[in-house]
Amino acid sequence: MTSQPTMNKAGNDPGGPGEPGAQGSGLQAGLKNRHLSMIAIGGVIGAGLFVGSSSGIATAGPGILLSYALVGTLVVLVMRMLGEMSAANPTSGSFSAHADRALGPWAGFSIGWLYWFFWVVVLAVEATAGAVILEGWIPAVPQWGWALIVMLVLTATNLVSVGSYGEFEFWFAGIKVVAIAAFIVIGGLAVFGLLPGVDSEQAGLSNLTEHGGFLPNGAGAILTGVLLVVFSFMGSEIATLAAGESENPRQAVTKATNSIIWRVAVFYLGSIAVVVCLLPWDSKSITKDGSYVAALDSLGIAHAGQIMNFIVLTSVLSCLNSGLYTASRMAFSLGQRGDAPKAFARTTSNGVPRTAILASVAFGFVAVFFNYKFPDSVFLFLVNSSGAVALFVWLVICFSQLRMRKIIKAEAPEKLVVKMWLYPYLTWATAGLIVFILGYMLTDTEHDGRQTILLSLLVAAVVLVIAFVKHKVRGGRPAADAPQVQGEERSEVSAG
């Protein structure tokens, strides 16, 4: 394995490689191509797909397919923009580093810390979800004990090396991919009456139009469905953060960006289409047992609940693993740019940002404590106040790309190996759609959309104030230069 040169800016390398107890040479290229491929695929399959789709189906009926299609299109467009910037400049800071360069240090600081906040809260949510499943299997260990065990194991994994993270994620994501692919094939055969030994009278394409029609609750339910499913897509951008530690960052980003369309189409639209074809959308079992468990039960598959619990647990562990990795790399990037303690930018001789990992997991442990001690007050605030961060991130990516396209064309046009379609019109249209969704959330009182957006805006405002005060106190600093990456892509895009 070839070590990656320091990703710190020149003159800001706090330590040399190979010194015991000292900082190593920066993040290292420890992720193989197969790791990146599976991280890219698994990144769009969150536990939310399995456990969060039930409420969407119950709200919009078969029309939830349009909700998923709308959000899926949004994700494809945003990933295309992010892919354009990340292919030109692969970095562990991803969109935060791009925003720093394109919009100013205040933007990189704000969106970086909001994104970090989102993922450390996710750590607590997923650890608790995993603990519930594990306690059901082995009740001798209390729920809090399982949450602690899961967090400690995955923290240890991330502390060893980026390669160990990649290996764990390769297998976690692999199980998710195989499970969903098998579900689509088996369910699809049942829908068309081609599955041997299964007599499913409820299955059929007629479920899309019967029981009140394709839009039983009206066209407005499509937008409500968007609010319920949009956050299950968070994670598709992880591949662009991980690319900075891969053997060929530019190729990895390009591949991940180009494959996003079929990933969303197959894993989200495909699997949800199978669910709403196997069962009537208003079946009580969908909300009682969960959409995927109910669909498997309708086929008479034995132990469907336990099978799905295993798949959900795998998704939870994958999300935890990636969440800790993502939060730590964002903290590392913030430390590089002086927007976080300098200790966050230090790495071990194995290229692991140990302090950034420990700081992230520490907040995760605190959040887990709040979840058990104050679930309806402090923890509920944390969850709701981070709920709209996905939309904030996507909006910042839009505005960053509008500016970065001009910078890249002026300084290194040969690096535009991925291009946003119909620039700048489609970028503006995407930004407009995101703003519309944020505005629509303010009208949603039934599913806590208004509370989520108001609390998220409150936290965002606090972070923005801190960013501007910090910028004022320090007398401002120039936007970050593009960090170095390994191999042939070591040249920097110089500051303007």
Side-chain angles (χ1 to χ4, degrees), residues 192-203:
F192 292 102
L194 302 175
L195 190 63
V198 172
D199 182 22
S200 180
E201 297 180 357
Q202 299 180 86

Side-chain angles (χ1 to χ4, degrees), residues 68-130:
Y68 273 103
L70 185 60
V71 180
T73 300
L74 186 63
V75 170
V76 167
L77 294 173
V78 170
M79 277 297 294
R80 187 73 184 183
M81 298 176 219
L82 182 55
E84 176 181 299
M85 295 184 289
S86 295
N89 174 31
T91 169
S92 62
S94 189
F95 51 84
S96 174
H98 303 322
D100 193 300
R101 178 85 196 280
L103 306 177
W106 65 269
F109 176 96
S110 302
I111 205 63
W113 276 114
L114 285 173
Y115 190 69
W116 179 87
F117 174 58
F118 171 85
W119 279 111
V120 292
V121 172
V122 165
L123 292 181
V125 174
E126 300 296 341
T128 303

Side-chain angles (χ1 to χ4, degrees), residues 50-51 53-54 57 275 279 284-297 308:
F50 299 108
V51 299
S53 55
S54 303
I57 293 172
V275 170
L279 283 170
K284 292 182 179 179
S285 61
I286 290 180
T287 52
K288 178 185 176 184
D289 302 323
S291 54
Y292 287 81
V293 172
L296 291 174
D297 276 335
M308 191 50 59

Side-chain angles (χ1 to χ4, degrees), residues 343-411:
F344 285 11
R346 297 195 184 109
T347 59
T348 66
S349 58
N350 289 333
V352 174
R354 182 168 52 200
T355 304
I357 290 174
L358 293 176
S360 300
V361 81
F363 192 96
F365 278 124
V366 171
V368 167
F369 170 76
F370 285 147
N371 191 16
Y372 287 103
K373 202 70 176 172
F374 312 105
D376 299 322
S377 53
V378 180
F379 188 71
L380 186 62
F381 170 81
L382 291 176
V383 172
N384 285 334
S385 60
S386 65
V389 167
L391 292 169
F392 295 163
V393 166
W394 296 346
L395 193 60
V396 167
I397 289 173
C398 290
F399 290 126
S400 297
Q401 190 265 338
L402 286 169
R403 171 68 178 144
M404 280 301 292
R405 167 68 74 90
K406 298 175 182 177
I407 295 175
I408 298 169
K409 283 189 72 173
E411 299 176 354

Side-chain angles (χ1 to χ4, degrees), residues 80 83 87 249-259 417-418:
R80 187 73 184 183
R250 187 162 294 155
Q251 183 184 61
V253 169
T254 303
K255 187 176 180 180
T257 302
N258 291 336
S259 64
V417 293
V418 176

